Amino acid sequence: MIKTSSPFLKSLLLGVCVLAALFSLGCSKSDNKTSKVLQAAISPSIPPFTFEENGQVVGVDIEIFKGFCESRGYTYNLKAYDFQGMLGAVASGQADVAFSGISITPKREEVMEFSNPYVQNGWDLVSVSKRNIHITDLSQIKKYSIGFPTGAVFMGYIENEWAPKGIYPVNKVKLYPSMSEALTDLNNGNLDLAFVDSSMLLTYVNKMKMPLVSSYQIPYADKLGFAFVKGSPIRDDFNKYLAELGPEKIQAMELKWSR
């Protein structure tokens, strides 16, 4: 029998313990990564980016986010909010990330961090086709009611571009919890025009068969991004994933979910 006091045995046991410790730490690190749960805030009424279809939340943003999580070994929880609540969740740290066609603006960048832009859109003022509203000059807009969700980037545009020039007063804007409520009022004749981006309009008309038309196109280039909590440890890796996808794949997703 070899005595436990043997220097060789002590060294051997020490080596085994060190290897075991290293292996344990390695497994722990890997397990932590694969078991990391990302809390995601969404507003599932923004097609083609995040919306409900046949009882499932689908869209461009969902497809991108799922692909990122699968490629990096994350799991996730989705929590639905109205648009303003979604932004508040990531700004306050209740969520790691928020996405649902979110525009990148300087004001929002003060309280959250954005991914690189993945989509650029124009804006439209839309109406129900039977109303036959066609705006040829901005001076005509005052006679119509305009609405959109609370917290939407459109308010900043009206505040900074239209209100100072006397084109449209801020106090006349109708605000809604989500785009669904705005579209309901639009359909029922309680709202004349709704602000949407061009991708949303394509989805409403082509995929959802809504009787909507563009009454006026806004000359604005809107850049969308995924919003992350300040100091996010995953934002840079998410940007790498967007680069791996490339613009062609993302554009194909946008066409897929808007037709």
Side-chain angles (χ1 to χ4, degrees), residues 46 82-87 100-103 105 107-108 123 147-159 173-179 182 195-197 200 222:
I46 313 293
D82 59 30
F83 198 84
Q84 182 83 335
M86 170 186 67
L87 296 177
S100 291
I102 303 175
S103 300
T105 69
K107 187 175 181 179
R108 289 173 180 171
W123 288 344
F148 45 81
T150 300
V153 71
F154 310 123
M155 179 60 87
Y157 185 80
I158 292 175
E159 289 175 339
V173 175
K174 290 188 174 184
L175 297 176
Y176 297 86
S178 74
M179 188 57 73
F195 250 114
V196 301
D197 68 41
M200 291 177 71
D222 188 25

PDB file of all heavy atoms in Angstrom, residues 46 82-87 100-103 105 107-108 123 147-159 173-179 182 195-197 200 222:
ATOM      1  N   ILE A  46     -46.638  46.028 -34.275  1.00  0.00           N
ATOM      2  CA  ILE A  46     -45.849  46.827 -35.209  1.00  0.00           C
ATOM      3  C   ILE A  46     -45.392  45.937 -36.373  1.00  0.00           C
ATOM      4  O   ILE A  46     -44.227  45.515 -36.441  1.00  0.00           O
ATOM      5  CB  ILE A  46     -44.620  47.463 -34.521  1.00  0.00           C
ATOM      6  CG1 ILE A  46     -44.994  48.113 -33.195  1.00  0.00           C
ATOM      7  CG2 ILE A  46     -43.951  48.474 -35.443  1.00  0.00           C
ATOM      8  CD1 ILE A  46     -45.898  49.317 -33.328  1.00  0.00           C
ATOM      9  N   ASP A  82     -47.359  48.094 -24.167  1.00  0.00           N
ATOM     10  CA  ASP A  82     -47.667  49.077 -25.201  1.00  0.00           C
ATOM     11  C   ASP A  82     -46.337  49.712 -25.594  1.00  0.00           C
ATOM     12  O   ASP A  82     -45.300  49.461 -24.978  1.00  0.00           O
ATOM     13  CB  ASP A  82     -48.700  50.103 -24.730  1.00  0.00           C
ATOM     14  CG  ASP A  82     -48.270  50.896 -23.502  1.00  0.00           C
ATOM     15  OD1 ASP A  82     -47.044  51.107 -23.319  1.00  0.00           O
ATOM     16  OD2 ASP A  82     -49.138  51.329 -22.728  1.00  0.00           O
ATOM     17  N   PHE A  83     -46.344  50.533 -26.634  1.00  0.00           N
ATOM     18  CA  PHE A  83     -45.073  51.022 -27.169  1.00  0.00           C
ATOM     19  C   PHE A  83     -44.278  51.818 -26.137  1.00  0.00           C
ATOM     20  O   PHE A  83     -43.075  51.618 -25.965  1.00  0.00           O
ATOM     21  CB  PHE A  83     -45.327  51.883 -28.414  1.00  0.00           C
ATOM     22  CG  PHE A  83     -44.099  52.073 -29.262  1.00  0.00           C
ATOM     23  CD1 PHE A  83     -43.732  51.124 -30.197  1.00  0.00           C
ATOM     24  CD2 PHE A  83     -43.301  53.192 -29.113  1.00  0.00           C
ATOM     25  CE1 PHE A  83     -42.593  51.279 -30.969  1.00  0.00           C
ATOM     26  CE2 PHE A  83     -42.158  53.367 -29.883  1.00  0.00           C
ATOM     27  CZ  PHE A  83     -41.800  52.404 -30.816  1.00  0.00           C
ATOM     28  N   GLN A  84     -44.950  52.699 -25.441  1.00  0.00           N
ATOM     29  CA  GLN A  84     -44.272  53.511 -24.417  1.00  0.00           C
ATOM     30  C   GLN A  84     -43.738  52.644 -23.295  1.00  0.00           C
ATOM     31  O   GLN A  84     -42.624  52.857 -22.799  1.00  0.00           O
ATOM     32  CB  GLN A  84     -45.247  54.558 -23.857  1.00  0.00           C
ATOM     33  CG  GLN A  84     -44.653  55.495 -22.822  1.00  0.00           C
ATOM     34  CD  GLN A  84     -43.914  56.663 -23.434  1.00  0.00           C
ATOM     35  OE1 GLN A  84     -43.445  56.581 -24.559  1.00  0.00           O
ATOM     36  NE2 GLN A  84     -43.812  57.753 -22.704  1.00  0.00           N
ATOM     37  N   GLY A  85     -44.525  51.664 -22.878  1.00  0.00           N
ATOM     38  CA  GLY A  85     -44.096  50.767 -21.803  1.00  0.00           C
ATOM     39  C   GLY A  85     -42.891  49.935 -22.191  1.00  0.00           C
ATOM     40  O   GLY A  85     -42.020  49.662 -21.355  1.00  0.00           O
ATOM     41  N   MET A  86     -42.833  49.527 -23.451  1.00  0.00           N
ATOM     42  CA  MET A  86     -41.686  48.759 -23.947  1.00  0.00           C
ATOM     43  C   MET A  86     -40.398  49.570 -23.814  1.00  0.00           C
ATOM     44  O   MET A  86     -39.375  49.076 -23.326  1.00  0.00           O
ATOM     45  CB  MET A  86     -41.915  48.367 -25.406  1.00  0.00           C
ATOM     46  CG  MET A  86     -40.707  47.779 -26.109  1.00  0.00           C
ATOM     47  SD  MET A  86     -40.987  47.510 -27.874  1.00  0.00           S
ATOM     48  CE  MET A  86     -41.136  49.212 -28.457  1.00  0.00           C
ATOM     49  N   LEU A  87     -40.457  50.837 -24.232  1.00  0.00           N
ATOM     50  CA  LEU A  87     -39.282  51.699 -24.123  1.00  0.00           C
ATOM     51  C   LEU A  87     -38.903  51.927 -22.658  1.00  0.00           C
ATOM     52  O   LEU A  87     -37.727  51.933 -22.300  1.00  0.00           O
ATOM     53  CB  LEU A  87     -39.548  53.037 -24.808  1.00  0.00           C
ATOM     54  CG  LEU A  87     -39.797  52.989 -26.323  1.00  0.00           C
ATOM     55  CD1 LEU A  87     -40.108  54.387 -26.848  1.00  0.00           C
ATOM     56  CD2 LEU A  87     -38.606  52.413 -27.061  1.00  0.00           C
ATOM     57  N   SER A 100     -39.250  46.296 -31.587  1.00  0.00           N
ATOM     58  CA  SER A 100     -40.529  46.284 -32.306  1.00  0.00           C
ATOM     59  C   SER A 100     -40.536  47.487 -33.230  1.00  0.00           C
ATOM     60  O   SER A 100     -41.320  48.416 -33.060  1.00  0.00           O
ATOM     61  CB  SER A 100     -41.730  46.324 -31.342  1.00  0.00           C
ATOM     62  OG  SER A 100     -41.864  45.136 -30.595  1.00  0.00           O
ATOM     63  N   GLY A 101     -39.616  47.507 -34.170  1.00  0.00           N
ATOM     64  CA  GLY A 101     -39.528  48.630 -35.087  1.00  0.00           C
ATOM     65  C   GLY A 101     -39.213  49.944 -34.394  1.00  0.00           C
ATOM     66  O   GLY A 101     -39.891  50.944 -34.621  1.00  0.00           O
ATOM     67  N   ILE A 102     -38.192  49.966 -33.542  1.00  0.00           N
ATOM     68  CA  ILE A 102     -37.874  51.151 -32.746  1.00  0.00           C
ATOM     69  C   ILE A 102     -36.932  52.077 -33.514  1.00  0.00           C
ATOM     70  O   ILE A 102     -35.856  51.665 -33.951  1.00  0.00           O
ATOM     71  CB  ILE A 102     -37.225  50.764 -31.404  1.00  0.00           C
ATOM     72  CG1 ILE A 102     -38.149  49.821 -30.612  1.00  0.00           C
ATOM     73  CG2 ILE A 102     -36.921  52.000 -30.574  1.00  0.00           C
ATOM     74  CD1 ILE A 102     -37.544  49.292 -29.333  1.00  0.00           C
ATOM     75  N   SER A 103     -37.331  53.328 -33.644  1.00  0.00           N
ATOM     76  CA  SER A 103     -36.495  54.321 -34.315  1.00  0.00           C
ATOM     77  C   SER A 103     -35.367  54.780 -33.388  1.00  0.00           C
ATOM     78  O   SER A 103     -35.568  54.957 -32.191  1.00  0.00           O
ATOM     79  CB  SER A 103     -37.328  55.534 -34.722  1.00  0.00           C
ATOM     80  OG  SER A 103     -38.371  55.163 -35.596  1.00  0.00           O
ATOM     81  N   THR A 105     -33.178  57.580 -32.016  1.00  0.00           N
ATOM     82  CA  THR A 105     -33.211  59.037 -31.889  1.00  0.00           C
ATOM     83  C   THR A 105     -32.230  59.480 -30.806  1.00  0.00           C
ATOM     84  O   THR A 105     -31.946  58.726 -29.863  1.00  0.00           O
ATOM     85  CB  THR A 105     -34.615  59.545 -31.507  1.00  0.00           C
ATOM     86  OG1 THR A 105     -34.909  59.134 -30.151  1.00  0.00           O
ATOM     87  CG2 THR A 105     -35.685  58.989 -32.439  1.00  0.00           C
ATOM     88  N   LYS A 107     -32.693  61.509 -28.355  1.00  0.00           N
ATOM     89  CA  LYS A 107     -33.356  61.534 -27.055  1.00  0.00           C
ATOM     90  C   LYS A 107     -33.400  60.144 -26.434  1.00  0.00           C
ATOM     91  O   LYS A 107     -33.162  59.972 -25.229  1.00  0.00           O
ATOM     92  CB  LYS A 107     -34.781  62.095 -27.209  1.00  0.00           C
ATOM     93  CG  LYS A 107     -35.491  62.322 -25.880  1.00  0.00           C
ATOM     94  CD  LYS A 107     -36.836  62.996 -26.090  1.00  0.00           C
ATOM     95  CE  LYS A 107     -37.548  63.244 -24.765  1.00  0.00           C
ATOM     96  NZ  LYS A 107     -38.852  63.914 -24.951  1.00  0.00           N
ATOM     97  N   ARG A 108     -33.704  59.145 -27.230  1.00  0.00           N
ATOM     98  CA  ARG A 108     -33.739  57.778 -26.716  1.00  0.00           C
ATOM     99  C   ARG A 108     -32.342  57.274 -26.372  1.00  0.00           C
ATOM    100  O   ARG A 108     -32.168  56.493 -25.427  1.00  0.00           O
ATOM    101  CB  ARG A 108     -34.398  56.847 -27.746  1.00  0.00           C
ATOM    102  CG  ARG A 108     -35.890  57.084 -27.888  1.00  0.00           C
ATOM    103  CD  ARG A 108     -36.498  56.273 -29.019  1.00  0.00           C
ATOM    104  NE  ARG A 108     -37.944  56.529 -29.117  1.00  0.00           N
ATOM    105  CZ  ARG A 108     -38.699  56.090 -30.112  1.00  0.00           C
ATOM    106  NH1 ARG A 108     -38.169  55.383 -31.095  1.00  0.00           N
ATOM    107  NH2 ARG A 108     -39.993  56.361 -30.118  1.00  0.00           N
ATOM    108  N   TRP A 123     -41.697  57.438 -44.114  1.00  0.00           N
ATOM    109  CA  TRP A 123     -42.955  57.544 -43.361  1.00  0.00           C
ATOM    110  C   TRP A 123     -44.100  57.915 -44.288  1.00  0.00           C
ATOM    111  O   TRP A 123     -43.910  58.585 -45.307  1.00  0.00           O
ATOM    112  CB  TRP A 123     -42.849  58.630 -42.292  1.00  0.00           C
ATOM    113  CG  TRP A 123     -41.969  58.278 -41.136  1.00  0.00           C
ATOM    114  CD1 TRP A 123     -41.506  57.052 -40.783  1.00  0.00           C
ATOM    115  CD2 TRP A 123     -41.448  59.202 -40.174  1.00  0.00           C
ATOM    116  NE1 TRP A 123     -40.731  57.143 -39.662  1.00  0.00           N
ATOM    117  CE2 TRP A 123     -40.674  58.445 -39.263  1.00  0.00           C
ATOM    118  CE3 TRP A 123     -41.562  60.568 -39.995  1.00  0.00           C
ATOM    119  CZ2 TRP A 123     -40.016  59.026 -38.186  1.00  0.00           C
ATOM    120  CZ3 TRP A 123     -40.902  61.158 -38.917  1.00  0.00           C
ATOM    121  CH2 TRP A 123     -40.140  60.391 -38.020  1.00  0.00           C
ATOM    122  N   GLY A 147     -53.134  60.697 -35.826  1.00  0.00           N
ATOM    123  CA  GLY A 147     -52.912  59.909 -34.618  1.00  0.00           C
ATOM    124  C   GLY A 147     -51.832  58.859 -34.777  1.00  0.00           C
ATOM    125  O   GLY A 147     -51.505  58.453 -35.896  1.00  0.00           O
ATOM    126  N   PHE A 148     -51.319  58.395 -33.624  1.00  0.00           N
ATOM    127  CA  PHE A 148     -50.301  57.333 -33.572  1.00  0.00           C
ATOM    128  C   PHE A 148     -50.087  56.960 -32.110  1.00  0.00           C
ATOM    129  O   PHE A 148     -50.585  57.644 -31.205  1.00  0.00           O
ATOM    130  CB  PHE A 148     -48.982  57.786 -34.224  1.00  0.00           C
ATOM    131  CG  PHE A 148     -48.539  59.166 -33.840  1.00  0.00           C
ATOM    132  CD1 PHE A 148     -47.874  59.402 -32.642  1.00  0.00           C
ATOM    133  CD2 PHE A 148     -48.783  60.252 -34.679  1.00  0.00           C
ATOM    134  CE1 PHE A 148     -47.455  60.676 -32.293  1.00  0.00           C
ATOM    135  CE2 PHE A 148     -48.363  61.534 -34.341  1.00  0.00           C
ATOM    136  CZ  PHE A 148     -47.698  61.743 -33.141  1.00  0.00           C
ATOM    137  N   PRO A 149     -49.322  55.887 -31.829  1.00  0.00           N
ATOM    138  CA  PRO A 149     -49.131  55.459 -30.436  1.00  0.00           C
ATOM    139  C   PRO A 149     -48.306  56.431 -29.603  1.00  0.00           C
ATOM    140  O   PRO A 149     -47.398  57.091 -30.119  1.00  0.00           O
ATOM    141  CB  PRO A 149     -48.393  54.119 -30.577  1.00  0.00           C
ATOM    142  CG  PRO A 149     -48.697  53.646 -31.950  1.00  0.00           C
ATOM    143  CD  PRO A 149     -48.794  54.887 -32.780  1.00  0.00           C
ATOM    144  N   THR A 150     -48.621  56.513 -28.323  1.00  0.00           N
ATOM    145  CA  THR A 150     -47.831  57.299 -27.383  1.00  0.00           C
ATOM    146  C   THR A 150     -46.392  56.789 -27.368  1.00  0.00           C
ATOM    147  O   THR A 150     -46.150  55.587 -27.337  1.00  0.00           O
ATOM    148  CB  THR A 150     -48.420  57.172 -25.965  1.00  0.00           C
ATOM    149  OG1 THR A 150     -49.764  57.639 -25.965  1.00  0.00           O
ATOM    150  CG2 THR A 150     -47.610  57.980 -24.965  1.00  0.00           C
ATOM    151  N   GLY A 151     -45.448  57.704 -27.420  1.00  0.00           N
ATOM    152  CA  GLY A 151     -44.039  57.323 -27.409  1.00  0.00           C
ATOM    153  C   GLY A 151     -43.443  57.130 -28.779  1.00  0.00           C
ATOM    154  O   GLY A 151     -42.230  56.946 -28.901  1.00  0.00           O
ATOM    155  N   ALA A 152     -44.268  57.166 -29.826  1.00  0.00           N
ATOM    156  CA  ALA A 152     -43.754  56.981 -31.179  1.00  0.00           C
ATOM    157  C   ALA A 152     -42.904  58.169 -31.604  1.00  0.00           C
ATOM    158  O   ALA A 152     -43.119  59.310 -31.170  1.00  0.00           O
ATOM    159  CB  ALA A 152     -44.907  56.782 -32.167  1.00  0.00           C
ATOM    160  N   VAL A 153     -41.949  57.905 -32.476  1.00  0.00           N
ATOM    161  CA  VAL A 153     -41.003  58.931 -32.907  1.00  0.00           C
ATOM    162  C   VAL A 153     -41.671  60.044 -33.708  1.00  0.00           C
ATOM    163  O   VAL A 153     -41.135  61.140 -33.840  1.00  0.00           O
ATOM    164  CB  VAL A 153     -39.876  58.263 -33.738  1.00  0.00           C
ATOM    165  CG1 VAL A 153     -40.386  57.799 -35.085  1.00  0.00           C
ATOM    166  CG2 VAL A 153     -38.689  59.192 -33.900  1.00  0.00           C
ATOM    167  N   PHE A 154     -42.881  59.781 -34.212  1.00  0.00           N
ATOM    168  CA  PHE A 154     -43.587  60.778 -35.019  1.00  0.00           C
ATOM    169  C   PHE A 154     -43.858  62.075 -34.244  1.00  0.00           C
ATOM    170  O   PHE A 154     -43.899  63.154 -34.824  1.00  0.00           O
ATOM    171  CB  PHE A 154     -44.912  60.202 -35.530  1.00  0.00           C
ATOM    172  CG  PHE A 154     -44.770  58.851 -36.178  1.00  0.00           C
ATOM    173  CD1 PHE A 154     -45.494  57.759 -35.707  1.00  0.00           C
ATOM    174  CD2 PHE A 154     -43.916  58.649 -37.251  1.00  0.00           C
ATOM    175  CE1 PHE A 154     -45.366  56.515 -36.288  1.00  0.00           C
ATOM    176  CE2 PHE A 154     -43.783  57.412 -37.848  1.00  0.00           C
ATOM    177  CZ  PHE A 154     -44.504  56.326 -37.361  1.00  0.00           C
ATOM    178  N   MET A 155     -44.059  61.961 -32.931  1.00  0.00           N
ATOM    179  CA  MET A 155     -44.325  63.151 -32.132  1.00  0.00           C
ATOM    180  C   MET A 155     -43.147  64.120 -32.175  1.00  0.00           C
ATOM    181  O   MET A 155     -43.325  65.340 -32.301  1.00  0.00           O
ATOM    182  CB  MET A 155     -44.642  62.770 -30.686  1.00  0.00           C
ATOM    183  CG  MET A 155     -44.912  63.979 -29.780  1.00  0.00           C
ATOM    184  SD  MET A 155     -46.319  64.978 -30.347  1.00  0.00           S
ATOM    185  CE  MET A 155     -47.669  64.099 -29.537  1.00  0.00           C
ATOM    186  N   GLY A 156     -41.939  63.587 -32.079  1.00  0.00           N
ATOM    187  CA  GLY A 156     -40.765  64.440 -32.148  1.00  0.00           C
ATOM    188  C   GLY A 156     -40.683  65.181 -33.470  1.00  0.00           C
ATOM    189  O   GLY A 156     -40.259  66.353 -33.520  1.00  0.00           O
ATOM    190  N   TYR A 157     -41.093  64.516 -34.539  1.00  0.00           N
ATOM    191  CA  TYR A 157     -41.064  65.149 -35.860  1.00  0.00           C
ATOM    192  C   TYR A 157     -42.051  66.321 -35.907  1.00  0.00           C
ATOM    193  O   TYR A 157     -41.728  67.400 -36.408  1.00  0.00           O
ATOM    194  CB  TYR A 157     -41.410  64.124 -36.936  1.00  0.00           C
ATOM    195  CG  TYR A 157     -41.294  64.660 -38.345  1.00  0.00           C
ATOM    196  CD1 TYR A 157     -40.065  64.753 -38.982  1.00  0.00           C
ATOM    197  CD2 TYR A 157     -42.424  65.080 -39.045  1.00  0.00           C
ATOM    198  CE1 TYR A 157     -39.948  65.249 -40.270  1.00  0.00           C
ATOM    199  CE2 TYR A 157     -42.331  65.587 -40.333  1.00  0.00           C
ATOM    200  CZ  TYR A 157     -41.080  65.655 -40.944  1.00  0.00           C
ATOM    201  OH  TYR A 157     -40.978  66.163 -42.219  1.00  0.00           O
ATOM    202  N   ILE A 158     -43.241  66.098 -35.382  1.00  0.00           N
ATOM    203  CA  ILE A 158     -44.240  67.173 -35.366  1.00  0.00           C
ATOM    204  C   ILE A 158     -43.772  68.329 -34.487  1.00  0.00           C
ATOM    205  O   ILE A 158     -43.891  69.505 -34.851  1.00  0.00           O
ATOM    206  CB  ILE A 158     -45.605  66.634 -34.895  1.00  0.00           C
ATOM    207  CG1 ILE A 158     -46.183  65.679 -35.950  1.00  0.00           C
ATOM    208  CG2 ILE A 158     -46.585  67.778 -34.639  1.00  0.00           C
ATOM    209  CD1 ILE A 158     -47.479  64.997 -35.539  1.00  0.00           C
ATOM    210  N   GLU A 159     -43.214  67.992 -33.308  1.00  0.00           N
ATOM    211  CA  GLU A 159     -42.730  69.031 -32.387  1.00  0.00           C
ATOM    212  C   GLU A 159     -41.597  69.863 -32.987  1.00  0.00           C
ATOM    213  O   GLU A 159     -41.542  71.075 -32.805  1.00  0.00           O
ATOM    214  CB  GLU A 159     -42.252  68.381 -31.087  1.00  0.00           C
ATOM    215  CG  GLU A 159     -43.362  67.822 -30.216  1.00  0.00           C
ATOM    216  CD  GLU A 159     -42.832  67.075 -29.012  1.00  0.00           C
ATOM    217  OE1 GLU A 159     -41.653  66.650 -29.044  1.00  0.00           O
ATOM    218  OE2 GLU A 159     -43.585  66.908 -28.042  1.00  0.00           O
ATOM    219  N   VAL A 173     -52.805  66.392 -31.977  1.00  0.00           N
ATOM    220  CA  VAL A 173     -52.438  64.994 -32.210  1.00  0.00           C
ATOM    221  C   VAL A 173     -53.239  64.069 -31.291  1.00  0.00           C
ATOM    222  O   VAL A 173     -53.392  64.352 -30.097  1.00  0.00           O
ATOM    223  CB  VAL A 173     -50.934  64.772 -31.968  1.00  0.00           C
ATOM    224  CG1 VAL A 173     -50.590  63.291 -32.084  1.00  0.00           C
ATOM    225  CG2 VAL A 173     -50.114  65.582 -32.953  1.00  0.00           C
ATOM    226  N   LYS A 174     -53.743  62.973 -31.833  1.00  0.00           N
ATOM    227  CA  LYS A 174     -54.436  61.952 -31.043  1.00  0.00           C
ATOM    228  C   LYS A 174     -53.451  60.823 -30.729  1.00  0.00           C
ATOM    229  O   LYS A 174     -52.857  60.250 -31.640  1.00  0.00           O
ATOM    230  CB  LYS A 174     -55.641  61.396 -31.808  1.00  0.00           C
ATOM    231  CG  LYS A 174     -56.792  62.361 -31.953  1.00  0.00           C
ATOM    232  CD  LYS A 174     -58.004  61.644 -32.541  1.00  0.00           C
ATOM    233  CE  LYS A 174     -59.237  62.538 -32.570  1.00  0.00           C
ATOM    234  NZ  LYS A 174     -60.443  61.813 -33.056  1.00  0.00           N
ATOM    235  N   LEU A 175     -53.281  60.526 -29.437  1.00  0.00           N
ATOM    236  CA  LEU A 175     -52.354  59.487 -29.020  1.00  0.00           C
ATOM    237  C   LEU A 175     -53.097  58.229 -28.571  1.00  0.00           C
ATOM    238  O   LEU A 175     -54.169  58.320 -27.957  1.00  0.00           O
ATOM    239  CB  LEU A 175     -51.464  59.997 -27.888  1.00  0.00           C
ATOM    240  CG  LEU A 175     -50.542  61.169 -28.253  1.00  0.00           C
ATOM    241  CD1 LEU A 175     -49.785  61.654 -27.022  1.00  0.00           C
ATOM    242  CD2 LEU A 175     -49.567  60.771 -29.353  1.00  0.00           C
ATOM    243  N   TYR A 176     -52.533  57.078 -28.868  1.00  0.00           N
ATOM    244  CA  TYR A 176     -53.165  55.789 -28.583  1.00  0.00           C
ATOM    245  C   TYR A 176     -52.172  54.856 -27.887  1.00  0.00           C
ATOM    246  O   TYR A 176     -50.958  55.011 -28.033  1.00  0.00           O
ATOM    247  CB  TYR A 176     -53.625  55.134 -29.888  1.00  0.00           C
ATOM    248  CG  TYR A 176     -54.681  55.921 -30.631  1.00  0.00           C
ATOM    249  CD1 TYR A 176     -54.326  56.938 -31.523  1.00  0.00           C
ATOM    250  CD2 TYR A 176     -56.030  55.648 -30.455  1.00  0.00           C
ATOM    251  CE1 TYR A 176     -55.291  57.668 -32.205  1.00  0.00           C
ATOM    252  CE2 TYR A 176     -57.008  56.364 -31.134  1.00  0.00           C
ATOM    253  CZ  TYR A 176     -56.627  57.374 -32.009  1.00  0.00           C
ATOM    254  OH  TYR A 176     -57.586  58.090 -32.679  1.00  0.00           O
ATOM    255  N   PRO A 177     -52.683  53.869 -27.126  1.00  0.00           N
ATOM    256  CA  PRO A 177     -51.782  52.886 -26.489  1.00  0.00           C
ATOM    257  C   PRO A 177     -50.982  52.075 -27.504  1.00  0.00           C
ATOM    258  O   PRO A 177     -49.839  51.714 -27.247  1.00  0.00           O
ATOM    259  CB  PRO A 177     -52.744  51.990 -25.692  1.00  0.00           C
ATOM    260  CG  PRO A 177     -53.957  52.828 -25.487  1.00  0.00           C
ATOM    261  CD  PRO A 177     -54.083  53.676 -26.707  1.00  0.00           C
ATOM    262  N   SER A 178     -51.598  51.746 -28.645  1.00  0.00           N
ATOM    263  CA  SER A 178     -50.908  50.983 -29.677  1.00  0.00           C
ATOM    264  C   SER A 178     -51.452  51.368 -31.045  1.00  0.00           C
ATOM    265  O   SER A 178     -52.472  52.066 -31.151  1.00  0.00           O
ATOM    266  CB  SER A 178     -51.102  49.477 -29.456  1.00  0.00           C
ATOM    267  OG  SER A 178     -52.417  49.088 -29.802  1.00  0.00           O
ATOM    268  N   MET A 179     -50.803  50.880 -32.088  1.00  0.00           N
ATOM    269  CA  MET A 179     -51.257  51.173 -33.438  1.00  0.00           C
ATOM    270  C   MET A 179     -52.604  50.526 -33.726  1.00  0.00           C
ATOM    271  O   MET A 179     -53.388  51.030 -34.535  1.00  0.00           O
ATOM    272  CB  MET A 179     -50.212  50.706 -34.458  1.00  0.00           C
ATOM    273  CG  MET A 179     -50.496  51.131 -35.888  1.00  0.00           C
ATOM    274  SD  MET A 179     -50.669  52.925 -36.107  1.00  0.00           S
ATOM    275  CE  MET A 179     -48.968  53.447 -35.942  1.00  0.00           C
ATOM    276  N   ALA A 182     -55.290  52.942 -32.942  1.00  0.00           N
ATOM    277  CA  ALA A 182     -55.299  54.027 -33.925  1.00  0.00           C
ATOM    278  C   ALA A 182     -55.967  53.576 -35.219  1.00  0.00           C
ATOM    279  O   ALA A 182     -56.778  54.308 -35.809  1.00  0.00           O
ATOM    280  CB  ALA A 182     -53.873  54.497 -34.204  1.00  0.00           C
ATOM    281  N   PHE A 195     -49.948  58.113 -38.740  1.00  0.00           N
ATOM    282  CA  PHE A 195     -48.534  58.053 -39.115  1.00  0.00           C
ATOM    283  C   PHE A 195     -48.079  56.594 -39.069  1.00  0.00           C
ATOM    284  O   PHE A 195     -48.252  55.915 -38.045  1.00  0.00           O
ATOM    285  CB  PHE A 195     -47.698  58.837 -38.106  1.00  0.00           C
ATOM    286  CG  PHE A 195     -47.115  60.113 -38.620  1.00  0.00           C
ATOM    287  CD1 PHE A 195     -47.529  61.330 -38.107  1.00  0.00           C
ATOM    288  CD2 PHE A 195     -46.121  60.090 -39.589  1.00  0.00           C
ATOM    289  CE1 PHE A 195     -46.965  62.523 -38.549  1.00  0.00           C
ATOM    290  CE2 PHE A 195     -45.554  61.272 -40.038  1.00  0.00           C
ATOM    291  CZ  PHE A 195     -45.974  62.503 -39.528  1.00  0.00           C
ATOM    292  N   VAL A 196     -47.479  56.078 -40.125  1.00  0.00           N
ATOM    293  CA  VAL A 196     -46.866  54.744 -40.118  1.00  0.00           C
ATOM    294  C   VAL A 196     -45.592  54.816 -40.957  1.00  0.00           C
ATOM    295  O   VAL A 196     -45.397  55.750 -41.727  1.00  0.00           O
ATOM    296  CB  VAL A 196     -47.794  53.651 -40.700  1.00  0.00           C
ATOM    297  CG1 VAL A 196     -49.095  53.558 -39.922  1.00  0.00           C
ATOM    298  CG2 VAL A 196     -48.072  53.886 -42.177  1.00  0.00           C
ATOM    299  N   ASP A 197     -44.726  53.807 -40.791  1.00  0.00           N
ATOM    300  CA  ASP A 197     -43.583  53.771 -41.695  1.00  0.00           C
ATOM    301  C   ASP A 197     -43.931  52.941 -42.917  1.00  0.00           C
ATOM    302  O   ASP A 197     -44.933  52.224 -42.939  1.00  0.00           O
ATOM    303  CB  ASP A 197     -42.306  53.294 -40.991  1.00  0.00           C
ATOM    304  CG  ASP A 197     -42.330  51.843 -40.576  1.00  0.00           C
ATOM    305  OD1 ASP A 197     -42.824  51.008 -41.357  1.00  0.00           O
ATOM    306  OD2 ASP A 197     -41.816  51.531 -39.490  1.00  0.00           O
ATOM    307  N   MET A 200     -44.615  49.168 -42.571  1.00  0.00           N
ATOM    308  CA  MET A 200     -45.904  48.872 -41.940  1.00  0.00           C
ATOM    309  C   MET A 200     -47.030  48.969 -42.954  1.00  0.00           C
ATOM    310  O   MET A 200     -47.916  48.107 -43.008  1.00  0.00           O
ATOM    311  CB  MET A 200     -46.159  49.828 -40.777  1.00  0.00           C
ATOM    312  CG  MET A 200     -45.263  49.622 -39.575  1.00  0.00           C
ATOM    313  SD  MET A 200     -45.569  50.829 -38.268  1.00  0.00           S
ATOM    314  CE  MET A 200     -47.163  50.287 -37.676  1.00  0.00           C
ATOM    315  N   ASP A 222     -35.932  57.131 -41.701  1.00  0.00           N
ATOM    316  CA  ASP A 222     -36.042  56.634 -40.334  1.00  0.00           C
ATOM    317  C   ASP A 222     -35.191  55.376 -40.165  1.00  0.00           C
ATOM    318  O   ASP A 222     -35.410  54.376 -40.850  1.00  0.00           O
ATOM    319  CB  ASP A 222     -37.517  56.326 -40.040  1.00  0.00           C
ATOM    320  CG  ASP A 222     -37.758  55.991 -38.588  1.00  0.00           C
ATOM    321  OD1 ASP A 222     -36.972  56.433 -37.738  1.00  0.00           O
ATOM    322  OD2 ASP A 222     -38.747  55.279 -38.305  1.00  0.00           O
TER     323      ASP A 222
END
